[in-house]
């Protein structure tokens, strides 16, 4: 009953009245305007702002919002905020699943409740900004890496970790690597863990990361040359 209640509260925090408020900040307005222009023009490859190229951030967040806008058939506050709300739901779900496996269901439930009571987390879950999507992707990458290090035979976790990392770079740029790769480098230098060495030396994992993270940059550059 407590788990179900927590789940309902989480859904209300993330989704209740999500599209009923006007855009709340300059940054949220900027993201929404980019999405609106891409939706109106039907051009998904290169983001634009006021008709000009807007390449300060990669487009994964915009793409997700465009998917929802196209499903609904219109652009509005709900569709541009939905990627953030769903990303927050992913963070909560991954937190509960991993904590439940490692520490038990009560600890997992308490971890989720701490997240839901965090005002900053709740606010970013309801805004058209890239931070919550970046958090979900980096967090998922880290958890997948932890699963791989605990179970080296299950390489799927390794490849998923690099897939999510590539998507994080496609959300905010190479700075996303600081949140995932840098901590593991520090751990490797400190522990000399053999499994962590395999984590960094797997060529297929890096290939997945490169294809996912660099594909848009190459496509956008090619379009610019054209």
């Amino acid at each position: 009953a407590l788990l179900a209640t927590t789940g309902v509260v989480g859904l209300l925090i993330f989704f209740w009245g999500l599209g009923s408020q006007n855009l709340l900040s300059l940054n949220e307005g900027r993201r929404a305007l980019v999405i609106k222009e891409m939706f109106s023009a039907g051009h998904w490859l290169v983001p634009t702002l006021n008709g000009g190229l807007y390449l300060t951030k990669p487009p994964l967040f915009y793409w997700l919002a465009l998917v929802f806008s196209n499903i609904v058939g219109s652009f509005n506050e709900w569709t541009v905020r939905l990627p953030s709300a769903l990303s927050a739901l992913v963070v909560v779900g991954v937190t509960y699943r991993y904590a439940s496996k490692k520490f038990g269901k009560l600890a997992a439930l308490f971890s989720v409740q701490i997240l839901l009571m965090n005002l900053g987390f709740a606010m970013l879950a309801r805004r058209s900004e890239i931070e919550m999507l970046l958090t979900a992707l980096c967090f998922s990458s880290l958890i997948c890496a932890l699963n791989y290090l605990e179970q080296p035979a299950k390489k799927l976790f390794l490849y998923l970790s690099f897939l999510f990392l590539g998507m994080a770079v496609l959300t905010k740029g190479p700075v996303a690597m600081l949140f995932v790769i840098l901590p593991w480098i520090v751990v490797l230098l400190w522990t000399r863990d053999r499994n962590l060495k395999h984590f960094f030396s797997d060529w297929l994992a890096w290939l997945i990361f490169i294809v996912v993270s660099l594909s848009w940059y190459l496509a956008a550059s090619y379009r610019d040359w054209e």
Side-chain angles (χ1 to χ4, degrees):
L2 187 57
L3 176 60
T5 301
T6 302
V8 170
V9 170
L11 291 174
L12 290 175
I13 289 174
F14 298 153
F15 296 101
W16 180 262
L18 188 64
S20 62
Q21 288 183 311
N22 294 327
L23 301 175
L24 300 175
S25 67
L26 178 62
N27 204 39
E28 190 180 24
R30 184 184 299 114
R31 304 286 176 222
L33 182 57
V34 172
I35 296 164
K36 181 180 180 180
E37 290 191 13
M38 295 175 74
F39 177 76
S40 299
H43 296 157
W44 286 44
L45 180 61
V46 180
T48 62
L49 183 63
N50 296 322
L53 293 180
Y54 185 71
L55 303 178
T56 59
K57 293 292 184 295
L60 183 58
F61 180 86
Y62 306 137
W63 287 346
L64 292 176
L66 284 168
V67 168
F68 297 128
S69 296
N70 276 273
I71 290 174
V72 173
S74 65
F75 163 89
N76 54 53
E77 286 85 350
W78 187 78
T79 60
V80 300
R81 287 172 174 155
L82 196 54
S84 294
L86 292 174
S87 296
L89 194 61
V90 168
V91 173
V92 168
V94 172
T95 298
Y96 181 82
R97 182 177 177 83
Y98 186 78
S100 178
K101 183 179 70 172
K102 295 292 291 184
F103 309 110
K105 292 185 177 181
L106 185 60
L109 181 60
F110 186 57
S111 300
V112 167
Q113 290 172 344
I114 290 175
L115 278 175
L116 296 179
M117 289 187 293
N118 186 292
L119 180 60
F121 184 83
M123 289 178 62
L124 288 175
R126 298 177 59 84
R127 291 196 177 187
S128 177
E129 298 182 10
I130 66 175
E131 279 72 17
M132 189 54 68
L133 176 60
L134 178 68
T135 298
L137 292 170
C138 289
F139 185 58
S140 297
S141 179
L142 287 167
I143 293 298
C144 285
L146 281 171
N147 278 299
Y148 167 72
L149 294 174
E150 294 166 0
Q151 307 171 76
K154 296 186 176 181
K155 282 205 166 185
L156 176 62
F157 286 119
L158 170 64
Y159 301 140
L160 285 175
S161 179
F162 277 83
L163 172 65
F164 290 134
L165 178 59
M167 293 172 68
V169 171
L170 203 55
T171 300
K172 195 176 176 65
V175 69
M177 297 179 67
L178 294 177
F179 305 122
V180 178
I181 295 298
L182 183 59
W184 288 129
I185 290 177
V186 173
V187 173
L188 177 61
L189 294 174
W190 182 263
T191 65
R192 307 292 182 178
D193 184 87
R194 175 187 292 183
N195 293 333
L196 200 48
K197 291 180 181 179
H198 293 161
F199 175 84
F200 278 109
S201 61
D202 191 287
W203 67 269
L204 182 54
W206 282 107
L207 179 61
I208 292 171
F209 166 75
I210 290 171
V211 169
V212 173
S213 62
L214 295 185
S215 57
W216 173 76
Y217 290 95
L218 294 175
S221 298
Y222 177 79
R223 180 185 182 280
D224 192 41
W225 293 337
E226 290 291 307

